[in-house]
Structures are given as structure tokens and as C-alpha cells.
Amino acid sequence: MPAKRRLTMRQLRQMLRLAGSGTSSREIAVVLGIARSTVQDNLRRAAAVGLTWPLPGELTDDALANKLFTRNGVKQGARRRVEPNWADLAVELKKPGVTLLILWEEYRGSHPEGYGYSRFCELFRGFEQRLSPTMRQEHAAGDKVFVDYSGKKIPIVDRKTGEIREAEIFVAVLGASSFTYADATWTQTLPDWIGSHVRMFRFFGGVPRLIVPDNLKSGVSRASFYDPEINRSYGMMASHYAVGVLPARPRRPKDKSKVENGVRFAQSCILGRLRNQTFFSLAEANVAIGQALDRINGHVMRRLGVSRRQLFESVERAALASLPSEDYEFAEWRLVRVSTDYHVEFKTFFYSVPHSLIRQQVDLRATARTIEIFHRGKRIAVHQRRYGGPRHGTDPDHMPSSHRRYAEWTPDRFRRWAASIGPQTEGLVIAILSSRPHPEQGFRTCLGVLRLFRDIERNRAEAVSARAVEIGGLNCKSIASLIANHKAARHSTEPTAIIDHANLRGPDYFH
């Protein structure tokens, strides 16, 4: 027998009109193209509530449906069986290991006459659809934090000049509770990006299992669907906190919808509320952002009936891993090559390594206070970072007692080469080597002078050398400037000659 189905209001009115004219149930079923049992069921419903044709003119479709299909003794919109508190179940479902099947079994344990599993799941999904998009997503407690920058910036005024500078807003949202963190930084560069993460973990008081960033260059060196490449400094920060990094897939907006919804909410609650305030420092702006965060996290979510902070405290805090004993200190990593003077360069300053590593590639880790150098994963040198004063930091233990296979790299070698040009050039090289704490630190400058003197006349090189010693220009930049501007008249009557660097064993020899 064909299954009964719900009729449209047009079909119901036509059915009542035909029945009122004396048409049989069988004939009505043929005319309407429905089952006879469906016609009989609906005619019984109409008779039970006293509906006959013609219907009252003021009877609307909604009123007709209410008369025909409202159950006696059941309030409109009410369920016939006991329902659980769906908001409480939505909170419970965020706890690790909790599933709908477990929740249904607990529900049936308390209400044996309650809904079956399939209807229970259907009603719960219906409740979820009424939640905001931010809360609708399913994320286990302590599993993920979504991070990104807001597209809109916050203006900060220089109190002295009146110049307006815009600061970036970093936003982070925990997956299960939507507990939100935000702060303002001047840029999106690596130090600010990692600094915001450090403050975020401190704010949460724990560490989730994964960070889900957008494919920002500060965090992801190369975006890829299958094998994203994480920035090394960002990866070291993640290693310090024992947290994984799972970048959102390129062109997959659903991967980051949690943070995007959080960003929009933060923009309205932070930027919207602070739009009429004037800030004169980054610290002032962050104090105001912190107050706005308190309002965001303390606001009771309408459908769940709890705030983000309550949800975080009850569900997510316990699921976060513990913080390490110390905050991560930002470090910049670089791949560098050891020079012939067994030093490596970082931002115009030089730091020594064991001399046996000349010409080797090493990893350099720079923090605000220290410079560490690694070779094949082993730390081989550590120096206090320099910001001024002498440009070379040399550990005496790194210096060779005798240069052995590097014997050509000696002060005497450079003096002999300079003397072959003339006494003034020899005096220049002696002055360069003497001006360094260790003579080896002047080798690089001596090589530069050799290259600069490669194609100039001997007497001109002597004049430049004398002038360089006179004014204290003991670096390549000063000597190059003297060569370019030197216009002294030749006083020597002897024929000048181009310096033969092949015979003098010049730069090519040293290489």
C-alpha cells in the first residue's frame, strides 16, 4: 500500500471540496494522484475537528494546518518525549573522547522512554544549526588554536610629532571554547609574530595540541597542500612548546573559518568599541584590547547559555598541556659560511668559531643577547651579541696555535705582499693588522685592499696608502673612496708600472 504523505494546502482544500460534493475517497485519490488511505486519513482528521466544505473565508493555510495536524493534549511546538538540555550536551561533546552515542546512552539511562538514537542525533543536529557559525564547528578540547592577523589595523599617534602609525592586531581562538586572545604589534614580521604566540600561550595558561595558522610568510615559508614548509624560527618556537603546526590548506576557507569568525567578532568588539579612543603608545592600545577581551570572553553566548570563559574553564583548560618552565626567547636562524679568518658575520659584526671549520657551512642562532653557532647539530661556539664597540668577538680557544695547512694566512704574508708594492702600503697593512684585537681579524680588510690595488699604478697605490694611514681610513670603504678621488700629481720620474699581482701572489693565490 502506498505510504501516506503530507499534502499541500491546495491539495487539502481541493480534497475537502470534492468530498463535500459527494465524490468518493477512491475518486478523490485518482484526481489528486495520492493514495486512498491518505485521503481517508485526512478526511477523518477534518471530521474530528468539525471541518466541512465550504470552509470559512477567514481560515488561512496556517490555521487549517493547525486544526488538522495539531495533536490533542500536546502544546504546539512541544515534544511528546522528554528532551535533554541540548546546550549542556553541546558543551559535553567538546570534551575529549565524548561522542553522541555516549551522550545518548546516558540520556536513555535517565529516560528509558526517550528518543531512539537516530531521532536523538537528528534533534541535536537541528539544535547545532541554530548555533552561530563559530560555535557550530566540532573541535575537541585542547586540540587546536587558530591564529591570524585582523585585516584592519588600530591607529596609534606619536605624542611628540602627531604622526599616526597603524598597528597590526593578532587574533587567536581556541577551537572548543572559542576563548579568544588578541594583541597589537607594530608589524607582522617574525619577531612580532612569534612574540604574540608566546604571550598567547601565557594568556591561555597552557598549550593546545596544534596551531592552525594561515599561510603567512612569517610562519609558513612555502604553502603546500601536501607538504607545507614551516619557517625554521617558527618551528623552533613550536618545538619549545611541544606543539604541532598545521597550516590551513591554500584556498580552503573552511580550514580557518573558526579564526575568521573570531576575527570578525574581535573587530566589532575591539575596533568598534575603541574607534573613538586615541592611543599614544602600543602599551596603551594593548591595555584597552585586554579590557575588550574581558568583555568578549565574559559575554554569555545566547544558545549555549554560557560564556567563552566559563566554557574554557570547564572544558578546555584541563585539556591543555602544561607550559614550559620558561617562555620562548625569539631567535633568528641563518645558514652562514665560515670565513678565512674563522669568523662568521651577523648584521655587520663578526663572531669566531674553531679555526678547523674554515670554509664550512654552519647554522647561526641569534637572540637579543647571544649568538650561538652550530655545526651538524652540535653547538660549537657561543658569544655575547654585539651592538656596538669592536666588531669582532673572538674566543682565544678558537685561534690556531700555528696555522699549519693555512700557513699562508699570516700577518707576515700580508706584510711581505705590501712591502713588494712600497713602504707606504706596507705601513698601511701593518696599521690595519695592529688596529684589530687579533691580527687575523684584519685579514679580510687586507684582502680587500689587495683587490682594490689590483689595477692601479704602483706610485698611486703608495699615495693612497699614505693618505689612508694619515686620516685613519683603515677599512676598504675609505680606501676605495681615496682611490676614486685621488688626483695627486705624480712626483716620481721613474716609469710607472702596473702592479703584477700574479707575481705578488694576490687574491687568486690565496684562494
Side-chain angles (χ1 to χ4, degrees), residues 215 222-228 246-252 255:
N215 287 286
R222 182 175 63 86
S224 169
F225 181 90
Y226 297 105
D227 190 21
L246 181 67
R249 296 172 295 175
R251 298 177 295 280
R252 292 295 189 275
D255 285 6

Side-chain angles (χ1 to χ4, degrees), residues 466-477:
R467 180 60 178 162
V469 173
E470 180 183 352
I471 66 173
L474 305 180
N475 55 66
C476 290
K477 183 177 180 180

Side-chain angles (χ1 to χ4, degrees), residues 148-161:
D148 200 359
Y149 281 104
S150 166
K152 298 181 179 179
K153 303 179 182 181
I154 186 167
I156 298 177
V157 180
D158 188 307
R159 194 184 295 273
K160 294 181 179 179
T161 65

Side-chain angles (χ1 to χ4, degrees), residues 148-149 152-154 156 165-171 181-197 199 282-283 285-286 289:
D148 200 359
Y149 281 104
K152 298 181 179 179
K153 303 179 182 181
I154 186 167
I156 298 177
R165 184 179 178 187
E166 292 188 322
E168 305 284 347
I169 298 180
F170 171 88
V171 179
Y181 171 76
D183 68 12
T185 59
W186 286 123
T187 69
Q188 295 187 16
T189 56
L190 197 58
D192 283 338
W193 169 251
I194 290 180
S196 291
H197 281 70
R199 292 186 290 274
L282 202 62
N286 277 318
I289 289 173

Side-chain angles (χ1 to χ4, degrees), residues 143-145 197 201 207-213 230 234-235 237-239 241-247:
D143 188 46
K144 295 184 181 73
V145 60
H197 281 70
F201 290 132
V207 183
R209 189 176 66 90
L210 290 172
I211 304 172
V212 183
I230 305 302
Y234 190 44
M237 181 277 297
S239 177
Y241 287 100
V243 61
V245 179
L246 181 67

Side-chain angles (χ1 to χ4, degrees), residues 54-322:
L55 297 174
E58 70 278 4
L59 188 66
T60 64
D61 286 350
D62 288 339
L64 177 60
N66 286 336
K67 283 182 172 291
L68 290 175
F69 301 110
T70 299
R71 294 185 179 92
N72 293 330
V74 179
K75 183 180 178 182
Q76 180 68 14
R79 305 288 185 191
R80 298 185 66 185
R81 292 183 171 87
V82 177
E83 291 188 55
N85 186 318
W86 299 114
D88 289 346
L89 295 190
V91 172
E92 289 295 313
L93 193 60
K94 294 178 180 297
K95 295 181 179 179
V98 178
T99 64
L100 275 176
L101 180 60
I102 293 174
L103 295 177
W104 173 77
E105 290 173 347
E106 292 174 351
Y107 160 71
R108 284 300 292 264
S110 302
H111 306 285
E113 75 290 350
Y115 292 107
Y117 180 63
S118 60
R119 180 59 174 161
F120 177 89
C121 292
E122 181 184 352
L123 292 173
F124 179 77
R125 297 306 179 196
F127 170 80
E128 278 193 317
Q129 291 300 316
R130 299 192 295 274
L131 295 175
S132 67
T134 302
M135 294 304 304
R136 192 181 304 159
Q137 299 174 72
E138 295 180 8
H139 297 290
D143 188 46
K144 295 184 181 73
V145 60
F146 298 80
V147 296
D148 200 359
Y149 281 104
S150 166
K152 298 181 179 179
K153 303 179 182 181
I154 186 167
I156 298 177
V157 180
D158 188 307
R159 194 184 295 273
K160 294 181 179 179
T161 65
E163 180 185 359
I164 297 177
R165 184 179 178 187
E166 292 188 322
E168 305 284 347
I169 298 180
F170 171 88
V171 179
V173 182
L174 282 170
S177 62
S178 289
F179 195 57
T180 303
Y181 171 76
D183 68 12
T185 59
W186 286 123
T187 69
Q188 295 187 16
T189 56
L190 197 58
D192 283 338
W193 169 251
I194 290 180
S196 291
H197 281 70
V198 172
R199 292 186 290 274
M200 172 192 73
F201 290 132
R202 195 186 309 138
F203 179 80
F204 292 154
V207 183
R209 189 176 66 90
L210 290 172
I211 304 172
V212 183
D214 198 0
N215 287 286
L216 182 75
K217 279 295 182 183
S218 294
V220 183
S221 300
R222 182 175 63 86
S224 169
F225 181 90
Y226 297 105
D227 190 21
E229 183 178 325
I230 305 302
N231 177 284
R232 183 172 184 181
S233 296
Y234 190 44
M236 295 301 291
M237 181 277 297
S239 177
H240 178 81
Y241 287 100
V243 61
V245 179
L246 181 67
R249 296 172 295 175
R251 298 177 295 280
R252 292 295 189 275
K254 288 185 178 180
D255 285 6
K256 52 185 178 178
S257 56
K258 168 71 76 169
V259 74
E260 287 185 345
N261 285 309
V263 163
R264 284 194 291 270
F265 188 69
Q267 284 177 349
S268 62
C269 291
I270 295 175
L271 292 175
R273 293 179 183 275
L274 305 182
R275 71 188 186 281
N276 295 322
Q277 295 187 39
T278 301
F279 302 106
F280 296 99
S281 70
L282 202 62
E284 283 184 22
N286 277 318
V287 169
I289 289 173
Q291 294 169 351
L293 281 176
D294 288 339
R295 289 195 296 269
I296 291 172
N297 292 321
H299 176 73
V300 175
M301 294 175 283
R302 181 167 57 89
R303 293 290 181 182
L304 290 181
V306 294
S307 68
R308 287 170 171 79
R309 185 175 298 280
Q310 290 171 323
L311 198 56
F312 170 74
E313 296 291 346
S314 62
V315 172
E316 195 138 34
R317 181 186 287 277
L320 297 176
S322 299

Side-chain angles (χ1 to χ4, degrees), residues 350-361:
F350 301 89
Y351 305 90
S352 68
V353 301
H355 69 276
S356 60
L357 295 175
I358 288 176
R359 298 295 183 190
Q360 297 292 313
Q361 280 192 330

